[in-house]
Structures are given as C-alpha cells and as structure tokens.
Amino acid sequence: MPSILGSTLYSRIIPSFLSIKFIIFFSKFFKSPSSKALAKDNIGTLWLTFLKFFEGLKPTLFEGEITRKDIRIGDIATIERAGDVIPHVISVDIKKRKKNSKKFVFPKKCPCGFKTIKDFNKITKKFDAVRRCPDRGFDCDRMAQERLKHFVSKEAFNIDGFGKKVVEKFWEIKLIRLPQDIFDLDFNQIKSLDGWGKLSAANLEYSINSKKTISLERFIYSLGIRHIGLENAKLISKHLKNSSNFSSLSKTKNFEELLNIDGIGETQIDSIK
C-alpha cells in the first residue's frame, strides 16, 4: 500500500474513482481541514483529509462539504478536474459503501488540549470553513514545532543545516522549545549526539551565528504571524524602516498606522496584535 508520512492509504483506486481515508497533519496554524491542495511540504495547515487520486493529484475537502455530501472513511468517490490542477469530489457511491461505514468526526480539541475554533471573518460576516487550534504562541507543542521549522526556513532565517528533521530531533531531546533557544544551543552536547560530530556541530554553529542579524522583512516573516506572508512582511518592513519601530508597536499599540500601507488591512493588523 502507498504510504505518506507514515499513514497508510487505501489502495482501492480505479480511474475516475478513489477510496477515502482521513489522516492528520500538523502545521504552525493547526488548520482543519485543508483549504489548499495537499502538499507534503506546505505549512500553515492541519490536513484532516487525504484523497489519493489515480494521477497522483490530491483533492481537498472542507468540513462543510464533507458533511453536506456525507463523505465517509472508505467511500468510493467520483472525481472531476476543477480548473487546471486541483480535482473536485462530485459525489460518493452509496451502493458501494460498507454497512459499517463511519462518519469522520472532526476534532473539537487539539491534541494539546485547547478547543478548536472557527474564526469569524469580519469582512464576509461568516465563520471560517476550517477549524483551528487557538493561536497561543508556543503553548501548543504541535504548532510550536511547525513554528520553529518556519522560523529557520529558507525565506525566514534561512539557517543552513537546520532543516525540519533537525528541528524535530532537537525538540525530541528538549534542546529547543522557543526560537531564542536556537541561538543558545550547547554545541558540545550536539557534537556528541548520534549522527553528529565535531565538524557538523561547528558548521551548524557557524550557520546560526551568521544569521544573528537579518533583514526586518525576513524577521517579520519568521514570526509566523497569520495572514503575514513574505510580501506583507516586505510592505510592513518598508513602512516601519527598522526593528525598533516594529517592536514599539506592541508598546504604543499604534497598530492603526499600518492601515496607511497599501495592501495591509484590518485582517492583517488583527493578526499582528
């Protein structure tokens, strides 16, 4: 059977049809289910659905759509291509459904213990289609790990040799819990770890030290603020000009000045607050 990130998928696949299984992925925003095409390296989403398409494409479902179409684990679903890439689930074949089939129960709690929520969109006046773990900094260990991966990623601090696997390993042995821990690592301890040595530890230390000063736009992006992608980070950094002005926002509470930036609205400002 095919396997993605350690979760076995149903292999009962024929052209134009697929079998469904729900699996869970985590990211820095604990979002469920996906609102984007499934991608192994995508951040910002908790995947609660994974549909194996016969061409290797990965359709995505919202909780409301799953409920409305009564899509269940193990169902055979008819697929059509929506647009150029992302497939769309038209319906399920009820006749082929097993008698003991079960509906997927969306989690009301994150594994960390916080209740999942649906944010209210002030612009659309509707609740979001996805559930999230409340954004409480690094209190959620699942989100914390993904935030750390984001922090060291290419478009953020871009620390060479500090990839996702290193974050996971250092988290497992409790070397890091917060971003600042990265700059206070014990490299004598690291070089004694399995798979590490004097040279690799020295290389990592050099990479980290070389990134103690980065551009403001990269720093803002590295924080993993929801709705603040790299482009918005560039807009904000251009407006604020330096890190002192950015850090003073939390002291002066003068967030409204960001409304003067073309492309920044209340949604982004609420996230920064």
Side-chain angles (χ1 to χ4, degrees):
M1 287 188 179
S3 179
I4 299 295
L5 298 186
S7 296
T8 302
L9 309 176
Y10 284 90
S11 59
R12 201 160 37 118
I13 304 169
I14 58 176
S16 298
F17 295 91
L18 52 79
S19 180
I20 298 170
K21 184 175 182 179
F22 297 86
I23 60 177
I24 295 178
F25 293 79
F26 294 93
S27 81
K28 70 181 191 298
F29 293 132
F30 192 87
K31 181 174 168 187
S32 68
S34 149
S35 62
K36 303 177 182 178
L38 283 171
K40 181 177 178 180
D41 295 325
N42 197 309
I43 64 173
T45 310
L46 160 66
W47 307 119
L48 282 172
T49 63
F50 186 96
L51 311 182
K52 179 67 177 179
F53 191 53
F54 74 102
E55 290 183 348
L57 299 174
K58 306 170 183 65
T60 302
L61 297 176
F62 290 101
E63 179 180 356
E65 183 180 5
I66 291 170
T67 302
R68 187 175 67 256
K69 295 180 180 178
D70 191 22
I71 302 174
R72 302 186 184 185
I73 299 171
D75 275 352
I76 298 296
T78 303
I79 300 300
E80 69 176 2
R81 189 184 293 269
D84 294 331
V85 180
I86 303 174
H88 175 67
V89 177
I90 301 174
S91 63
V92 297
D93 191 335
I94 303 298
K95 294 180 180 179
K96 294 184 179 180
R97 175 178 288 171
K98 294 180 179 180
K99 292 182 179 180
N100 62 348
S101 69
K102 296 181 180 180
K103 292 185 178 182
F104 183 78
V105 179
F106 282 80
K108 297 298 188 291
K109 280 189 175 183
C110 169
C112 72
F114 293 134
K115 290 183 178 180
T116 56
I117 60 173
K118 287 190 175 184
D119 291 337
F120 183 75
N121 191 311
K122 294 179 181 179
I123 298 175
T124 64
K125 307 299 181 183
K126 296 180 180 180
F127 284 96
D128 286 350
V130 297
R131 294 184 181 275
R132 299 177 185 275
C133 177
D135 190 350
R136 305 193 183 185
F138 288 80
D139 289 342
C140 173
D141 59 350
R142 268 75 171 184
M143 290 177 66
Q145 289 185 62
E146 299 306 320
R147 284 181 181 275
L148 290 168
K149 292 174 185 177
H150 177 75
F151 185 83
V152 300
S153 65
K154 185 176 181 180
E155 293 177 319
F157 270 75
N158 190 24
I159 300 177
D160 189 35
F162 212 125
K164 296 178 180 179
K165 295 295 183 183
V166 174
V167 171
E168 291 171 0
K169 180 61 178 178
F170 285 5
W171 178 277
E172 179 185 348
I173 60 178
K174 300 181 180 181
L175 282 182
I176 55 174
R177 283 294 182 267
L178 298 169
Q180 53 264 39
D181 295 336
I182 293 171
F183 299 97
D184 194 31
L185 287 168
D186 182 349
F187 292 97
N188 285 324
Q189 180 182 356
I190 291 173
K191 69 182 181 182
S192 65
L193 296 175
D194 186 32
W196 289 80
K198 187 176 181 179
L199 180 60
S200 55
N203 288 338
L204 181 62
E205 183 177 13
Y206 174 81
S207 296
I208 292 173
N209 288 335
S210 68
K211 296 302 170 74
K212 286 186 175 180
T213 301
I214 61 171
S215 66
L216 179 57
E217 65 187 54
R218 280 180 174 268
F219 176 74
I220 294 173
Y221 177 73
S222 75
L223 299 177
I225 303 170
R226 189 179 168 201
H227 301 302
I228 304 297
L230 188 57
E231 292 307 312
N232 282 340
K234 289 178 180 178
L235 293 173
I236 294 170
S237 64
K238 184 177 181 180
H239 176 79
L240 294 176
K241 299 187 180 349
N242 58 63
S243 58
S244 296
N245 291 335
F246 178 71
S247 60
S248 68
L249 282 176
S250 60
K251 298 176 183 178
T252 62
K253 307 296 181 184
N254 191 24
F255 297 102
E256 303 309 316
E257 74 163 279
L258 298 180
L259 286 173
N260 296 323
I261 306 173
D262 186 25
I264 301 297
E266 290 185 6
T267 299
Q268 287 76 26
I269 291 175
D270 286 344
S271 292
I272 295 173
K273 289 179 180 179

